[in-house]
Amino acid sequence: MRRSIGRTGGAVVSSSLNEVVALAPLDALPPDSLHACDAPVDGENEPLILYRDPQGEVRAWRNVCPHAGRRLDFAPGRFLRSKAGELVCAVHGATFALPQGNCVAGPCRGDCLRAVPVHVAEGEVRLGDAG
Ligand code: FES
């Protein structure tokens, strides 16, 4: 079975072990870009951040700030970046290094975004490790 996951707000249902969960077409993520989507993680529909680094590798984290548990984007899929290219939480300004996802400044300095495994196959970003 296969499911496609749209941008934030799209309908998401739980996944089974054999289910392919497509998060986004790879073409939707230019190098050094951030993208938001929802996906079933540990049985819950979770907002995610996808980041494609300048070398083309894609990473994902839960879209939950370790400071106060809020989403990092100021509108669905709209993220703040520092002049140095770091990801900045829109709520209180915690600043996260990319591609590592660790907080380097702000109220949760030293904490990290929670990583979610993703891989790229057949031109799309998929949930989970490559199998
Ligand atoms: S919720 Fe992100 S910095 Fe406070």
Side-chain angles (χ1 to χ4, degrees):
M1 180 175 242
R2 181 181 191 290
R3 293 189 192 283
S4 293
I5 307 298
R7 292 179 62 89
T8 299
V12 177
V13 296
S14 62
S15 63
S16 67
L17 290 176
N18 295 326
E19 191 175 29
V20 172
V21 178
L23 301 174
L26 186 60
D27 290 350
L29 284 83
D32 195 31
S33 70
L34 293 156
H35 184 87
C37 64
D38 293 341
V41 177
D42 297 335
E44 298 287 330
N45 184 23
E46 295 279 350
L48 302 182
I49 302 167
L50 303 179
Y51 174 63
R52 186 175 185 191
D53 71 23
Q55 289 71 43
E57 185 174 339
V58 179
R59 299 159 195 264
W61 302 277
R62 291 180 191 231
N63 189 357
V64 177
C65 182
H67 173 230
R70 305 272 296 274
R71 291 177 63 107
L72 283 85
D73 41 359
F74 62 90
R78 311 258 333 249
F79 295 94
L80 298 175
R81 304 282 296 266
S82 70
K83 287 184 179 174
E86 298 144 322
L87 170 60
V88 178
C89 178
V91 183
H92 307 110
T95 302
F96 298 87
L98 295 173
Q100 299 86 356
N102 58 305
C103 183
V104 295
C108 54
R109 185 181 181 127
D111 285 343
C112 294
L113 298 172
R114 291 184 60 194
V116 173
V118 294
H119 67 281
V120 175
E122 299 176 20
E124 57 190 15
V125 181
R126 294 178 176 174
L127 187 64
D129 293 315

